[in-house]
Amino acid sequence: MALEDIVILNEKETRAGFGEGIYELAKTNENVVVLTADLAGSFKLGPFIKEFNNRFVQCGIQEANMIGMAAGLTIGGKIPYTTTFANFSTGRVYDQIRQSVAYSDKNVKICASHAGLTLGEDGATHQILEDIGLMKMLPGMTVINPCDFNQTKAATKAIADIHGPVYLRFGRPKWPNFTKEDGSDFVIGKAQVLAEGTDVTLIACGHMVWKSVEAAKELAKEGISAEVINMHTIKPLDTEAVIKSLTKTGAVVTAEEHNIIGGLGDAIAQVAARNIPVPQEYIGTNDTFGESGKPEQLLKKYGLDTPNIVAAAKKAISRKK
Amino acid sequence: MATLQETASQIRRDIVRMVHGAQSGHPGGSLGCTDYFTALYFKIMHHNPSNFQMDGNGEDLFFLSNGHISPVFYSALARSGYFDVAELATFRKLDSRLQGHPTTHEHLPGIRVASGSLGQGLSVAIGAALAKKYNNDNSLVYCLMGDGELDEGQCWEAILSAPHQNADNIIATVDWNGQQIDGSTDKVLYLGNLEEKFKVFGWETIVLEKGNDMDEVVATLEKAKSLTGKGKPIVILMKTAMGAGIDFMEGTHEWHGIAPNDDQLAKALAQLPETLGDY
């Protein structure tokens, strides 16, 4: 695939991809049950609730109890999907997930919207930037941060087919939607190489994938060939794809809507350090909380925009020996 | 066929021997809940110890929320046939399936969720109860909690939730021994009128005054079963004595989480007839 082949189909919220995905999944998988902690609207659950009301559990604002109930539902063979904002899906209920879900190997799908800075005006109380780290540290947890609407929809359906706990992270704002409509380009645990390149590798997850595509297009104008990898699955990480790309390009930029401590960048650095040490630059928040603002304003202020990725790529390239 | 009282005596022997063997563990609450476990696993529950299935479809399920009383749980499981009683000797030792607190991680038959970090069991029980309803499975879900555990906020989330979710196939029990690690529950964090609290939250509430009297325990559990399926979850507030069955351990929080030495073990075992053969 080449950069020029990547085109925006439309702009949609990734969370709406969840809403559509769960509705379609429920039609074919009768074990799917959806729980929410008073956020059905935010997850676009209207169609699901209308048609599958008997498989919808309104928990009220009880995130801890919701996680526990989800663990219990798996014992009867159900596949529970829990829905609340990323902050309340992880930090608020870390111990419940740790003991009742992860340590207990329960087939719970923890689905988290409004992740990262781009939830915007609600500010730092709701903008969790530590959730990928929290979840990826749990043994047995699969962590997925799809890049757009189509991919969130595909991931929502795909996670029903793997046994074990999953953390599925997505966001609030409308965002460029560019992956395949049928989701056939999404495979859990398999890195998606969006564009091949030779000078630097851009590895991103979630909303930052599109920013990386934009950055690669900018770099191309300057004659710099960037490989763009959508690392939607942060755990288990596709280490083979990372090693292959870094061996080719010799430099990497990681981009995530997350603290650079404990996120995707750290995961890539670990692979690099063990296998193919190369210069790495990090795009992400740096040991800070967020604040209120428009999504694009926040991404710019915290250095998570296209110009910063371009600059980081040049810096990484300049550090090659 | 041993009587329930004889079985309870053996389980109490197992508890003190396990905790002595590991020189660690929680004998107090385990001894206090021995009569409950014995009644549940040897009389009340419909379950299939010889062929443990995680899903438990068609079976009654039990969840231990206050996981630190694992010794009585392990003994009841082994004595009822989930695994060999010889394995009780591995309690809290390296490479054992009998971890300090119960876990599914080591695939010990009879355990369906990890517990130990308090306050989580009733939420899991509600989920399992809802799954039974989805599956048109009329069997029941039991859950034991500690009274000190009710300090945890999540318990009250679950207590609020169960009636709303129509989980009338749950029989929860609170081990109401009035003791927790730092002293009496009244002093550490006053629980107030538990009976009224459960009632106003919408639970069918039964007070069991003699939670260490086997006949009373069995009768109360039977009564609770008769109340299931009527629109309300059921709770038994079960008054027990921490350390019940061993005179020098009974009624004090001092034996919440310490192991007996050799002399204390001998004194304890002298009070408990060996009815089914020690492991």
Side-chain angles (χ1 to χ4, degrees):
Chain A
M1 197 161 172
L3 271 177
E4 53 272 22
D5 297 331
I6 305 173
V7 292
I8 299 176
L9 305 170
N10 47 47
E11 297 214 349
K12 287 186 177 183
E13 301 151 348
T14 50
R15 59 183 164 133
F18 173 83
E20 270 196 25
I22 199 74
Y23 175 65
E24 289 185 10
L25 175 67
K27 289 180 184 173
T28 58
N29 190 329
E30 62 180 20
N31 284 321
V32 168
V33 176
V34 176
L35 301 88
T36 194
D38 201 22
L39 286 172
S42 294
F43 280 73
K44 311 293 182 188
L45 287 173
F48 175 90
I49 294 170
K50 194 174 176 190
E51 193 162 335
F52 306 105
N53 190 46
N54 61 332
R55 288 193 267 149
F56 171 67
V57 182
Q58 173 58 267
C59 299
I61 312 168
Q62 297 197 327
E63 294 83 7
N65 189 45
M66 175 171 71
I67 295 295
M69 284 168 65
L73 278 158
T74 68
I75 293 168
K78 301 294 128 186
I79 306 175
Y81 281 64
T82 65
T83 60
T84 183
F85 294 159
N87 187 29
F88 314 135
S89 290
T90 58
R92 189 179 180 93
V93 291
Y94 194 69
D95 189 46
Q96 284 76 18
I97 295 174
R98 182 175 183 274
Q99 174 172 285
S100 293
V101 176
Y103 186 44
S104 294
D105 190 30
K106 295 300 181 226
N107 193 24
V108 175
K109 314 305 176 186
I110 300 160
C111 301
S113 181
H114 292 52
L117 292 170
T118 53
L119 79 82
E121 293 82 349
D122 278 345
T125 53
H126 289 52
Q127 287 162 329
I128 194 162
L129 297 163
E130 309 91 46
D131 55 325
I132 291 174
L134 287 169
M135 292 297 109
K136 81 175 187 184
M137 280 196 290
L138 288 170
M141 181 68 74
T142 295
V143 180
I144 302 173
N145 188 189
C147 66
D148 65 4
F149 172 95
N150 284 344
Q151 193 156 77
T152 305
K153 185 175 166 183
T156 299
K157 295 194 267 192
I159 58 177
D161 294 331
I162 58 168
H163 180 86
V166 174
Y167 179 58
L168 181 64
R169 178 197 212 236
F170 40 90
R172 175 172 185 258
K174 287 188 173 168
W175 207 255
N177 185 29
F178 61 96
T179 60
K180 287 187 179 172
E181 193 166 2
D182 66 359
S184 60
D185 50 354
F186 173 78
V187 180
I188 295 170
K190 191 81 182 158
Q192 184 180 11
V193 180
L194 291 170
E196 295 194 358
T198 52
D199 298 329
V200 63
T201 305
L202 311 181
I203 303 180
C205 61
H207 291 141
M208 298 310 292
V209 174
W210 180 253
K211 295 288 181 194
S212 298
V213 169
E214 286 185 333
K217 289 182 176 178
E218 291 298 317
L219 289 163
K221 289 176 192 167
E222 300 181 42
I224 298 170
S225 168
E227 181 143 302
V228 184
I229 296 180
N230 171 15
M231 196 61 82
H232 47 70
T233 307
I234 294 134
K235 186 185 173 189
L237 190 68
D238 188 348
T239 53
E240 201 177 310
V242 175
I243 294 167
K244 186 181 170 193
S245 184
L246 268 50
T247 303
K248 180 169 65 171
T249 63
V252 63
V253 176
T254 53
E256 59 197 305
E257 198 182 339
H258 189 272
N259 195 338
I260 62 171
I261 301 171
L264 170 70
D266 268 2
I268 300 301
Q270 196 174 108
V271 175
R274 282 175 160 168
N275 299 281
I276 167 104
V278 300
Q280 176 172 354
E281 295 295 327
Y282 294 80
I283 297 293
T285 57
N286 187 0
D287 202 18
T288 184
F289 292 104
E291 63 180 289
S292 295
K294 301 281 182 203
E296 288 295 341
Q297 292 174 326
L298 291 162
L299 292 178
K300 185 178 179 190
K301 176 167 179 176
Y302 288 86
L304 280 71
D305 59 355
T306 304
N308 274 287
I309 299 174
V310 170
K314 291 177 182 172
K315 190 174 177 190
I317 292 168
S318 74
R319 288 172 54 207
K320 288 192 206 178
K321 282 179 183 166
Chain B
M1 192 74 180
T3 65
L4 292 175
Q5 285 83 356
E6 287 168 342
T7 302
S9 179
Q10 186 65 53
I11 288 177
R12 286 191 163 94
R13 286 182 71 89
D14 289 347
I15 291 166
V16 288
R17 292 182 72 238
M18 287 162 72
V19 175
H20 173 264
Q23 278 302 296
S24 122
H26 297 79
S30 293
L31 292 162
C33 290
T34 296
D35 304 293
Y36 167 83
F37 270 89
T38 306
L40 205 59
Y41 274 83
F42 293 86
K43 171 95 178 163
I44 298 293
M45 281 205 304
H46 295 288
H47 59 133
N48 192 356
S50 62
N51 181 27
F52 173 70
Q53 300 290 330
M54 178 58 76
D55 283 355
N57 290 324
E59 291 181 68
D60 292 340
L61 306 181
F62 171 75
F63 295 98
L64 178 65
S65 191
N66 49 334
H68 58 275
I69 67 166
S70 56
V72 63
F73 192 15
Y74 293 147
S75 174
L77 288 174
R79 294 286 172 185
S80 62
Y82 281 90
F83 55 89
D84 194 325
V85 294
E87 200 169 340
L88 295 174
T90 69
F91 174 62
R92 283 185 171 241
K93 293 176 180 168
L94 194 65
D95 297 326
S96 173
R97 297 197 292 179
L98 282 62
Q99 291 289 297
H101 295 81
T103 174
T104 57
H105 204 64
E106 312 298 332
H107 306 291
L108 187 69
I111 295 176
R112 291 190 166 88
V113 77
S115 60
S117 176
L118 292 172
Q120 302 184 28
L122 187 57
S123 300
V124 177
I126 295 169
L130 295 185
K132 288 215 174 289
K133 294 207 166 193
Y134 282 126
N135 294 334
N136 296 314
D137 177 350
N138 290 325
S139 39
L140 300 174
V141 176
Y142 294 85
C143 178
L144 179 64
M145 299 179 282
D147 51 0
E149 184 179 14
L150 295 181
D151 295 353
E152 292 280 6
Q154 189 184 346
C155 292
W156 296 97
E157 289 189 7
I159 292 165
L160 181 62
S161 171
H164 180 83
Q165 304 294 352
N166 296 315
D168 61 359
N169 48 350
I170 286 186
I171 298 176
T173 298
V174 177
D175 177 20
W176 200 2
N177 61 26
Q179 306 285 335
Q180 57 194 108
I181 294 177
D182 277 352
S184 77
T185 52
D186 284 352
K187 281 187 181 169
V188 176
L189 181 57
Y190 182 55
L191 288 167
N193 188 331
L194 266 191
E195 187 179 355
E196 285 302 317
K197 283 181 177 166
F198 271 97
K199 279 182 180 169
V200 298
F201 272 71
W203 288 66
E204 190 69 58
T205 306
I206 305 170
V207 176
L208 168 53
E209 292 290 344
K210 294 179 180 173
N212 296 116
D213 178 319
M214 187 63 76
D215 293 339
E216 292 279 320
V217 174
V218 170
T220 304
L221 283 165
E222 294 283 13
K223 181 184 174 189
K225 278 171 78 168
S226 75
L227 294 170
T228 56
K230 299 184 191 301
K232 286 184 175 184
I234 294 110
V235 64
I236 299 169
L237 302 176
M238 180 174 75
K239 292 185 182 174
T240 67
M242 196 178 261
I246 297 171
D247 55 12
F248 63 91
M249 291 187 180
E250 194 163 313
T252 168
H253 69 275
E254 301 295 334
W255 286 91
H256 167 88
I258 60 167
N261 61 28
D262 292 351
D263 287 344
Q264 290 162 333
L265 175 68
K267 277 184 201 165
L269 293 178
Q271 301 171 35
L272 300 165
E274 182 182 347
T275 53
L276 300 172
D278 287 339
Y279 61 81

